[in-house]
Amino acid sequence: MTARETAASVRSGNVTALEVVEAALDAARRLDPLLHFVEELDAEGARRAAKRLDPAGPLAGVPFLIKARTPPDSPILERLVTAGAIPIGWATRARPGAVSLTFGWNGREYTRNPWDPERSPGGSTAGGAAAVAAGVVPLATGGDSGGSLRIPAAFCGIVGFKGTYGRVPRPGGRGLGGLTTAGVIGADLDDVVLATSIASGPHRLDPSALPHWPVPTEPTRRWRVAYFSTLGACPAEEGVDRVLRERLAATDVQVVDVPLKLAPTDEAWPVLSALDNGRGAEAAAADRACEIRDHNNTALADLFAVVDVLVTPTTLTVAHGYDRHEQSIVTGDPCWVFNVTGHPAVSIPAGLSNGLPVGMQVVAPHGADAVALAAARQLQADLSAPPISTTCK
């Protein structure tokens, strides 16, 4: 069931929150030895929360996983719990200081992809993505400063949404570099939209966050789409490009041929990340990063004057091997660009290439999160359950 269906069932009394939580805990215990997505379960805490739950909330009884090392006072956690969602524990992420964060690690084993346990689920929201794709929980929390929601969503065939910068408040407030947006990853696009809406709006720890974002009601129409198989020098794998082109051709969108010339972000992103993380930067480097951001914002504004959304591969490849965790996928990476500029971007499943999910990234103008999501709803593909999941006994 989706998160919304689960909450409706709890509110109607068809199932208790405790029964839902016990099912999630059982699935976690059964599948974690295969996928290694749990850093720590909190079974007793989840049971206590289920027993005292007021079932009136929009996420009543919905189990979710928290990304490891998330501060306990994070606004997103507070608001999801207030809405009735129940955390059952913490999901794996990459080790601190890793060169590439496209893996998960529980201290003993690498997190595996439920589509193929020899593959990585991506990162850094690794465990959450694996658990959601396997059907253990419908939602997991994370943050996105360089694709940490969208990359694992693409590798695992689910949905990852990075809203316009500041869409969801963060415990540390607005970073100097302006890269990171808190968010959720989920199996269902509308669940992700609802959870993002619940988590949105200014908070005492982040009063400069964007205003509360109601669940959008963007009408369906024939979207004008610009498709680029790459935003840098590195091309997408042939299979990835083919899946996206076939998906666009199968849906009622108008693909528009329009130029786009972006400045490479591999020079700007590390500087902005250093500023976000309190490491500082040379003035000249910071100025150059701002120049790149401004150039790309202008180029994208010109593009969005002609089209509704920009579509790219979320990643240029399908999931890499779980033990190739230091493999860099950031050269020409399509995700970093939109952390630097702050545009809303959502990754949705577009299909399979050699049995592995391919993610489609849909990007819209600043503040037009509803447009990105409405177009994504029309473009997304329905995938079957992965080989390792709660539906496979």
Side-chain angles (χ1 to χ4, degrees):
M1 289 194 294
T2 67
R4 302 179 326 284
E5 291 169 340
T6 296
S9 188
V10 169
R11 286 195 298 271
S12 68
N14 290 335
V15 66
T16 68
L18 184 59
E19 289 172 326
V20 174
V21 162
E22 290 291 3
L25 290 170
D26 178 69
R29 293 192 192 95
R30 180 159 48 89
L31 295 183
D32 187 60
L34 301 174
L35 300 175
H36 315 298
F37 54 80
V38 170
E39 179 152 304
E40 182 182 357
L41 282 180
D42 182 17
E44 289 309 310
R47 291 181 182 120
R48 287 193 300 270
K51 290 174 182 176
R52 64 173 182 262
L53 178 75
D54 177 354
L59 292 177
V62 173
F64 73 99
L65 281 166
I66 304 168
K67 186 175 182 177
R69 301 195 296 276
T70 298
D73 62 347
S74 290
I76 190 170
L77 300 184
E78 173 192 311
R79 288 174 173 174
L80 293 180
V81 169
T82 298
I86 298 173
I88 65 168
W90 293 266
T92 56
R93 61 186 294 170
R95 291 188 302 267
V99 174
S100 172
L101 301 183
T102 57
F103 72 99
W105 175 252
N106 67 5
R108 303 171 305 280
E109 298 276 357
Y110 291 109
T111 305
R112 310 299 181 90
N113 191 318
W115 288 90
D116 179 353
E118 294 302 308
R119 305 280 181 153
S120 169
S124 59
T125 312
V132 167
V136 176
V137 290
L139 296 169
T141 67
D144 195 313
S145 61
S148 289
L149 290 168
R150 290 162 289 158
I151 291 170
F155 279 9
C156 292
I158 54 176
V159 177
F161 174 46
K162 180 197 79 68
T164 297
Y165 182 75
R167 176 62 65 208
V168 176
R170 302 176 59 236
R174 200 170 276 263
L176 288 175
L179 292 178
T180 305
T181 296
V184 293
I185 200 165
D188 180 87
L189 178 63
D190 289 320
D191 283 352
V192 170
V193 170
L194 174 60
T196 303
S197 174
I198 289 168
S200 69
H203 186 276
R204 58 177 292 272
L205 297 180
D206 189 0
S208 65
L210 295 177
H212 172 67
W213 182 65
V215 172
T217 56
E218 185 72 23
T220 299
R221 54 191 174 89
R222 190 165 189 243
W223 302 103
R224 295 168 301 164
V225 174
Y227 173 64
F228 291 88
S229 63
T230 182
L231 295 177
C234 297
E237 283 183 347
E238 181 181 351
V240 169
D241 181 43
R242 182 180 66 253
V243 166
L244 266 64
R245 291 184 185 276
E246 289 175 352
R247 187 62 198 161
L248 288 168
T251 54
D252 185 26
V253 297
Q254 179 186 1
V255 179
V256 179
D257 186 12
V258 58
L260 176 64
K261 182 65 174 178
L262 296 176
T265 54
D266 52 358
E267 185 180 355
W269 191 93
V271 175
L272 298 173
S273 178
L275 291 171
D276 265 0
N277 290 283
R279 295 193 297 271
E282 296 291 335
D287 286 345
R288 176 59 180 153
C290 290
E291 288 175 7
I292 292 171
R293 170 180 278 164
D294 291 344
H295 171 90
N296 288 350
N297 272 325
T298 298
L300 288 165
D302 291 341
L303 176 84
F304 289 127
V306 179
V307 300
D308 299 304
V309 294
L310 165 64
V311 167
T312 75
T314 308
T315 59
L316 302 178
T317 70
V318 294
H320 56 70
Y322 76 87
D323 56 350
R324 293 165 60 195
H325 57 277
E326 296 298 353
Q327 174 174 321
S328 175
I329 64 167
V330 300
T331 302
D333 175 68
C335 288
W336 282 28
V337 175
F338 306 109
N339 291 100
V340 170
T341 62
H343 286 78
V346 57
S347 179
I348 52 172
L352 302 176
S353 176
N354 294 322
L356 293 171
V358 172
M360 173 185 286
Q361 180 175 227
V362 183
V363 185
H366 288 114
D369 302 42
V371 171
L373 294 162
R377 187 173 291 108
Q378 186 171 333
L379 288 165
Q380 67 182 340
D382 292 325
L383 302 184
S384 60
I388 299 177
S389 73
T390 56
T391 64
C392 304
K393 304 298 184 183

